[in-house]
Amino acid sequence: MPVEPHSSLTSTTPRGPGTSAVEVRRSSRRRRTVSAYREGDRTIVLIPARMSEAEERRWVTVMLDKLAARESKSVLGDRELAERAERLSEQHFGGRARPSSVRWVTNQNTRWGSCTPSEGSIRLSHRLQGMPEYVVDYVLCHELAHLFVPGHGPDFWRLLDSYPRTERARGYLEGVAEAARLPRLPGARAE
């Protein structure tokens, strides 16, 4: 897709191993909308020319999250989520973590997941649906670890070290949480 008329390339940002570069294109014709699409191995983000660098960074993050959610293959149902938890238990806990139930819930807006060890129940926030698989797997492993250690002390974190993408997933979730706290640009809307 060609560059929009009256637009200028403002940045190309490598996103790290396994991810595409981000190219931001500013347009004087674009007034309030922000959009993004994939072009080969690049992600193109289109923004109004008047946006500040801080607004640009915020919108790039928002649009990358929107694209990732749109591109995620499918949303797991409760049965598939339980099967995934069973597989993760085998891989990372020797099959010893055996929850009685694993399901999505819509009433967790401040937590990504929760576990009631006495009942063996695990609940994941519906906000995780559409996030990368490694993030959902991390939250499942986190809650599976709570079946052994209820708190977040050193024993808990040692147990969770068995999941190799812990730091990456935690960083992703922290970024999502932080982006949600950013003020919304007046008049801007995502396409």
Side-chain angles (χ1 to χ4, degrees):
M1 177 175 258
V3 175
E4 288 184 29
H6 306 301
S7 68
S8 63
L9 175 66
T10 58
S11 64
T12 300
T13 311
R15 304 290 299 171
T19 61
S20 66
V22 175
E23 182 177 312
V24 175
R25 295 179 183 166
R26 292 176 174 267
S27 171
S28 57
R29 288 188 178 184
R30 193 172 277 272
R31 297 284 178 223
R32 296 187 326 196
T33 61
V34 176
S35 63
Y37 61 92
R38 305 280 190 211
E39 187 177 86
D41 65 345
R42 307 178 82 68
T43 301
I44 310 299
V45 180
L46 305 171
I47 65 172
R50 65 174 172 69
M51 277 193 180
S52 69
E53 286 185 30
E55 291 166 333
E56 174 184 316
R57 284 191 302 274
R58 175 185 176 272
W59 277 105
V60 166
T61 300
V62 167
M63 298 312 290
L64 288 174
D65 287 345
K66 283 182 178 280
L67 282 174
R70 192 181 320 145
E71 292 168 350
S72 90
K73 293 183 179 30
S74 66
V75 175
L76 299 174
D78 287 348
R79 192 184 92 231
E80 292 89 3
L81 193 62
E83 290 169 358
R84 194 171 193 159
E86 186 178 332
R87 234 179 1 264
L88 290 167
S89 173
E90 288 294 327
Q91 290 173 346
H92 303 289
F93 303 102
R96 297 177 300 123
R98 297 186 185 170
S100 59
S101 69
V102 180
R103 62 191 175 97
W104 296 107
V105 295
T106 58
N107 63 351
Q108 290 190 8
N109 293 316
T110 59
R111 297 178 184 198
W112 297 113
S114 63
C115 176
T116 306
S118 61
E119 297 173 5
S121 62
I122 292 175
R123 294 156 308 279
L124 266 59
S125 172
H126 71 286
R127 296 178 305 138
L128 290 165
Q129 292 174 331
M131 287 191 187
E133 288 182 8
Y134 75 91
V135 175
V136 176
D137 286 352
Y138 162 72
V139 176
L140 276 171
C141 284
H142 183 106
E143 302 310 332
L144 288 168
H146 279 308
L147 293 173
F148 302 109
V149 182
H152 290 106
D155 291 341
F156 173 82
W157 293 110
R158 268 193 296 280
L159 190 58
L160 196 54
D161 279 344
S162 67
Y163 183 66
R165 295 176 117 184
T166 293
E167 288 305 313
R168 183 174 181 197
R170 286 184 62 163
Y172 183 96
L173 292 171
E174 286 172 9
V176 169
E178 192 60 35
R181 287 187 202 99
L182 290 172
R184 195 157 162 81
L185 176 65
R189 66 177 196 272
E191 287 183 339

